[in-house]
Amino acid sequence: MCGIVGYVGDQEALGVVMDGLRRLEYRGYDSAGVAILDGGLTVERRAGKLANLDKEVTAHPLTGTTGMGHTRWATHGAPTDRNAHPQTSCDGAVAVVHNGIIENFARLAADLEDRGHELASDTDTEVVAHLLEEQFTGDLAEAMRTVCRQLDGAFTLVALHRDAPGVVVGARRNSPLVVGAGDGEYFLASDVAAFIAHTRDAVELGQDQVVELRRDGYTVTDFAGGPVDVKAYHVDWDASAAEKSGYPYFMLKEIAEQPVAVASTLLGRFADNGNLMLDELRLDEDELRAVDKVFIVACGTAYHAGLIAKYAIEHWTRLPCEVEMASEFRYRDPVLDRATLVVVISQSGETMDTLMAVRHAREQAARVVAICNTNGSTIPRESDAVLYTRAGPEVGVAATKTFLTQITATYLLALYLAQVRGTMYGDEITDIVEQLQGAPALIQATLATVEPVRALARELAGAPAVLFLGRHVGYPVALEGALKLKELAYMHAEGFPAGELKHGPIALVEDGLPVVVVVPSPRGRNVLHGKMVSNIQEIRARGARTIVIAEDGDNDVTPYADSVIRVPQLPTLLAPLVTTVPLQVFACELALAKGHDVDQPRNLAKSVTVE
Ligand code: M6R
């Protein structure tokens, strides 16, 4: 949530910062602003999307080679010009941008007002600008350290001071901030995407650290001013991966990239002895053998991936597996101990709810494995082991390719656990791995046949609501289909287990209501398939317009389906890799037919760094 860019070097900072903000706009898009140092300190900010600010700074460019910018997802204060960042001090000497929530801002603001400061916005951020004004005696980094020690909550802060030319100072606690190290130029950003066009050399900042960027280098300390070790890394993708590459929307590109994303996630994962190769492993096999319970913890789409993983983990490892929304996990005091394996799933690696779940689990001595798409992000750093999904950057706010890669990664993890614990034979594992390796081609084949899904979506753009039904792994797929439609098309959409429908939700079914049904393979549990065919008849008898997703060759559903969407055959547990795809396309096309921006749906941000 909120995108931050800082720059010092020899280029015009405005261009670098605006370009960085464009690449970070997925993090928030209700207002934006920049501050540029050039003898004086000039701030421009505008409510609305970045285009509004762009218009202003194109008409009246700001010059200077030190600067910063912000794209906002509002927490405190409405998305207005006044509440946009940068926020400034009374004397206009300090400008600050912020991502996160300063929990003790009300008390700090009252104290500042008692000391004569006038606060001009409704934001929690503004207090930092005034506190820096008070603390600054020539060393902005030192002032930042002093101020950070007074703050509670989560924050990434970046600041400029009129009297600190060529200096950009950043600080982080519980929110992301990365340094980009170029040749005679340095960057700060919420995400490497902001500076990837200039450098692929990045430096992770740790918890409670302050960084000072100058043209000749950077210095990192803790909040007390002590030296710290930092980890440098090279980003393994380039700027072109975060471009639309001819697609009108990132989401369309990311849907199309799914075969490659899944193939990359599978690539080279097994050593010669068959062991899964985790990217970072601070767990040994004895610890995995001692596990007696698995929790999967995640939010949103990642939570749906976890629900699918539960079926595979329980079936292949015979370990009990619970799946929990991260925002609920720690507050209900789950029973965890050293024999509990907590698997957290997060595309961004920065989702605050999930991060707090990681910390809670580790405090209870549980072992934590992260499945994550973002190298160097906080969640993998704080976990005991990491399996990276290699989907590449996902810019569209709606998760698509990362969902399929998350499912893939959980299959790998489940197979690995099964192997270590001896709950499957080697040839059974090999058989599934081979099926998984064939999945990218089947996802590609699914994508090649989605044109009728698009036509159907356009036809249903006026529907008041859509229901989604599934059984077994088809149930989380139904939830994901409904979530996509809600977030992109702003439509009422619900996913239900098909068997549960008769216990209440069937009352929603009325003449013409579109109901999408994800049908399990008849080659899996025959009884499940048969029951689903009955469920389709039940809703059709009540007037539903039935849209049935069924595997090739399943002709039992045809008589009861108003529309059939075909997907290639895969084993039951792996089927979500193909059944999800038409639902993504359906939601995207329906939202486009309604004239919505599918990359930046209203009220959302991609990386949710507040609880
Ligand atoms: O970065 P994360 O995977 O932790 O994000 C979790 C959710 O916020 C995310 O999946 C969200 O639900 C997506 N926008 C859904 O498309």
Side-chain angles (χ1 to χ4, degrees), residues 299-302 345-349 351 354 397-399 406 483-484 487 606 608:
C299 302
T301 290
I345 308 177
S346 174
Q347 182 283 132
S348 61
T351 300
T354 312
V397 163
Q406 285 165 349
L483 177 62
K484 289 281 100 72
E487 67 179 335
K606 188 149 187 78
V608 184

Side-chain angles (χ1 to χ4, degrees), residues 89-360:
S89 54
C90 305
D91 60 1
V94 186
V96 173
V97 294
H98 168 218
N99 171 23
I101 293 178
I102 295 165
E103 287 167 2
N104 57 339
F105 88 98
R107 184 179 55 72
L108 293 169
D111 292 350
L112 282 162
E113 281 171 340
D114 287 348
R115 297 199 294 272
H117 292 263
E118 283 179 22
L119 275 74
S121 77
D122 309 317
T123 66
D124 53 337
T125 307
E126 192 188 344
V127 296
V128 177
H130 294 271
L131 290 169
L132 285 171
E133 176 194 316
E134 285 185 342
Q135 295 300 329
F136 181 78
T137 54
D139 183 342
L140 185 57
E142 182 53 28
M144 181 67 94
R145 285 187 282 268
T146 309
V147 171
C148 285
R149 293 197 295 267
Q150 300 173 44
L151 306 179
D152 294 336
F155 48 86
T156 293
L157 295 162
V158 176
L160 302 178
H161 196 292
R162 192 173 51 203
D163 299 331
V167 171
V168 182
V169 167
R172 80 166 286 258
R173 168 182 287 168
N174 289 337
S175 284
L177 188 63
V178 197
V179 176
D183 188 9
E185 57 181 358
Y186 290 87
F187 307 79
L188 278 177
S190 313
D191 178 335
V192 294
F195 54 71
I196 195 79
H198 304 278
T199 179
R200 288 166 70 179
D201 291 320
V203 179
E204 288 176 17
L205 291 179
Q207 185 67 342
D208 287 4
Q209 293 183 354
V210 167
V211 58
E212 179 189 274
L213 298 190
R214 303 166 310 275
R215 222 161 144 162
D216 62 353
Y218 64 91
T219 311
V220 185
T221 67
D222 59 24
F223 282 176
V228 293
D229 288 333
V230 290
K231 189 172 157 201
Y233 63 101
H234 190 69
V235 182
D236 59 6
W237 48 271
D238 63 19
S240 65
E243 300 288 352
K244 287 184 191 157
S245 313
Y247 287 87
Y249 290 96
F250 280 108
M251 184 177 181
L252 291 170
K253 175 187 173 228
E254 288 157 5
I255 288 173
E257 284 173 343
Q258 294 187 107
V260 173
V262 169
S264 307
T265 302
L266 290 167
L267 199 69
R269 285 300 191 185
F270 286 91
D272 290 345
N273 63 0
N275 278 3
L276 172 70
M277 292 192 290
L278 290 159
D279 297 279
E280 285 165 37
L281 184 62
R282 296 175 283 270
L283 281 174
D284 63 30
E285 291 191 0
D286 285 338
E287 287 177 293
L288 293 176
R289 273 189 280 271
V291 167
D292 63 11
K293 181 170 61 179
V294 178
F295 272 104
I296 303 181
V297 187
C299 302
T301 290
Y303 168 74
H304 297 156
L307 289 174
I308 292 169
K310 173 184 167 80
Y311 292 88
I313 289 174
E314 291 194 333
H315 188 67
W316 291 337
T317 72
R318 307 311 298 150
L319 279 167
C321 176
E322 287 185 44
V323 189
E324 184 124 4
M325 287 179 187
S327 53
E328 292 293 320
F329 182 67
R330 69 178 168 139
Y331 299 106
R332 73 168 180 84
D333 197 11
V335 182
L336 306 168
D337 58 30
R338 207 175 171 77
T340 313
L341 182 69
V342 175
V343 179
V344 292
I345 308 177
S346 174
Q347 182 283 132
S348 61
E350 300 291 352
T351 300
M352 185 58 74
D353 292 314
T354 312
L355 176 60
M356 290 302 157
V358 171
R359 290 187 182 159
H360 181 76

